[in-house]
Amino acid sequence: MRKSTKRKKVQPKPSNNPPTEKESPSTRINPLENDSQDKKPQDNRNSTSSWIETHLLQNSQAKSDLVLSDIHIHSTSPQTTFILPTSRISINHGLATTLPLVGLQIWAGALVMSEYMIWKQHLFSGKGVLEVGAGTGLVSLVAGTRDVGAKKVIATDIHVGPDEDQEHTSAVGCKKGGSSGVLSLLKENAISNEETLGNGTVHVRELDLIDDTCPLFQWPIQRTACKSIDGKPHDFQFTKEDMDWFHDECSIIIGADIIYVDFVTFHLVKRLPVLLLKTQPQNSTSKKRKVESSLWESRVLYLALEKRVQFCKNECRVAIPAWEFLVRTIDAMNLDLEGRIQDDGEDMDGAFPDVRICMDAVDLQGMPQLFDYERNKELEIHRLYLSFP
């Protein structure tokens, strides 16, 4: 084994115009049904993600500027009901939030992802599904209905609430002076739609992409329960049973409209080599495999996003900053994988298989539109997976 040497890690070039707030999608939606029923907040925890605190400190406007999804422009109710072919999902959500709390709203990416799963039901039926950045939980809940038929779904997001932003608490559909964090709202929506779900169940867990201690991101593979990021036990921690399910049964990961902040995008791509790597089920009666790569297979990440176009003043050109940063980061990660370099610049573990991150655009032509919104050409779904050279 050759001696480990310190080498310079390839890093993607940051966007020249990092977004200061989530760019509003150009789509519009008239919710099929709006209900006036308000839900009482169930949780009162502060943010456990340091990047949010850093963002608020660096951007003085973050606490005063509200971001509104175009999906909610024509809505005055904090609850929307979505009609599916054989069922319906009712979602409690925010109407306007600051950037760290955009997960309390519904975005166009969640709608196109939901429609895709129903259209291509055979890809998801009977499968184990993990959602990253689930927000209100619409996509995870649709996956758990009989219209899609996922066997089990774990919906994840960071543990953040509007406690630090009491001035705008009422703007996110919460009682003034109260709080409804992202995970609390996600769990509330999962519980209120239990009767609609098919054989699958939807579980809510905390998952922060910047948490280096999370067993989901560890190599060699770990099956231990996750510790809460703030060190305090709560209902959203990954259990030992969850970890066994992820490694043995989860084959699909989904994410909708989570590519909008370069910092988060970088950490998502950073996790992909381990997150997408899955061991193949072993048959004790089968012959010993000669090819090491045959011991592994890849999970598939379906990523719904909107290519939001901006004019880049510094470069005097029309750009798609979030998308371009995603592509550059994947390219940089593949160079590291090819050079067998870890994130810290050290040599990669020799037991980790040779992999490459691949990304293909999904053809949405002919996909039925179930919801009343403008599905523009910038709304796309991409399929990410590992290849074994």
Side-chain angles (χ1 to χ4, degrees), residues 268-284:
L268 172 64
V269 175
K270 173 184 173 181
R271 306 301 183 190
L272 289 183
V274 173
L275 203 58
L276 293 178
L277 189 64
K278 185 178 186 299
T279 56
Q280 290 186 356
Q282 299 298 303
N283 186 345
S284 59

Side-chain angles (χ1 to χ4, degrees), residues 122-356:
H122 64 280
L123 298 176
F124 303 89
S125 180
K127 303 293 180 60
V129 177
L130 174 78
E131 183 177 10
V132 178
T136 63
L138 173 61
V139 178
S140 287
L141 292 171
V142 170
T145 65
R146 55 182 174 271
D147 291 287
V148 176
K151 184 177 181 180
K152 178 178 178 178
V153 182
I154 291 186
T156 72
D157 213 314
I158 56 176
H159 203 357
V160 56
D163 298 338
E164 56 204 281
D165 192 6
Q166 293 295 339
E167 180 182 356
H168 298 300
T169 299
S170 59
V172 296
C174 306
K175 183 178 179 181
K176 187 69 176 178
S179 168
S180 183
V182 173
L183 288 183
S184 298
L185 179 64
L186 180 52
K187 183 176 181 180
E188 179 182 329
N189 283 329
I191 292 175
S192 64
N193 287 281
E194 280 182 342
E195 295 183 0
T196 305
L197 301 179
N199 294 330
T201 56
V202 176
H203 303 266
V204 178
R205 297 291 183 262
E206 176 188 29
L207 183 63
D208 193 333
L209 292 171
I210 72 170
D211 178 20
D212 291 329
T213 66
C214 178
L216 264 68
F217 309 144
Q218 303 302 310
W219 176 265
I221 289 174
Q222 295 184 13
R223 294 174 178 262
T224 56
C226 288
K227 296 181 179 179
S228 61
I229 297 175
D230 58 6
K232 301 176 182 178
H234 52 69
D235 295 337
F236 303 125
Q237 294 173 231
F238 271 88
T239 64
K240 174 67 166 57
E241 180 181 0
D242 294 332
M243 296 302 300
D244 288 337
W245 168 85
F246 176 75
H247 291 301
D248 297 335
E249 300 181 43
C250 178
S251 58
I252 294 176
I253 301 175
I254 52 179
D257 230 330
I258 60 176
I259 303 299
Y260 60 92
V261 175
D262 289 354
F263 182 77
V264 177
T265 301
F266 172 79
H267 282 276
L268 172 64
V269 175
K270 173 184 173 181
R271 306 301 183 190
L272 289 183
V274 173
L275 203 58
L276 293 178
L277 189 64
K278 185 178 186 299
T279 56
Q280 290 186 356
Q282 299 298 303
N283 186 345
S284 59
T285 61
S286 64
K287 295 181 179 180
K288 184 177 180 181
R289 297 184 175 156
K290 297 181 180 180
V291 183
E292 182 179 353
S293 62
S294 66
L295 298 174
W296 306 99
E297 60 187 20
S298 177
R299 295 183 178 89
V300 177
L301 166 61
Y302 290 97
L303 190 63
L305 54 87
E306 184 171 4
K307 290 183 176 179
R308 297 175 180 121
V309 179
Q310 299 177 357
F311 180 75
C312 180
K313 294 182 179 179
N314 295 340
E315 301 179 11
C316 295
R317 69 180 181 92
V318 174
I320 314 174
W323 166 255
E324 293 173 358
F325 184 80
L326 171 64
V327 173
R328 289 197 303 269
T329 307
I330 291 176
D331 289 342
M333 178 59 71
N334 279 331
L335 286 175
D336 284 348
L337 291 170
E338 183 179 351
R340 305 289 293 177
I341 305 172
Q342 292 185 144
D343 181 63
D344 58 4
E346 296 290 341
D347 287 350
M348 189 176 293
D349 187 335
F352 193 86
D354 290 329
V355 297
R356 181 177 180 83

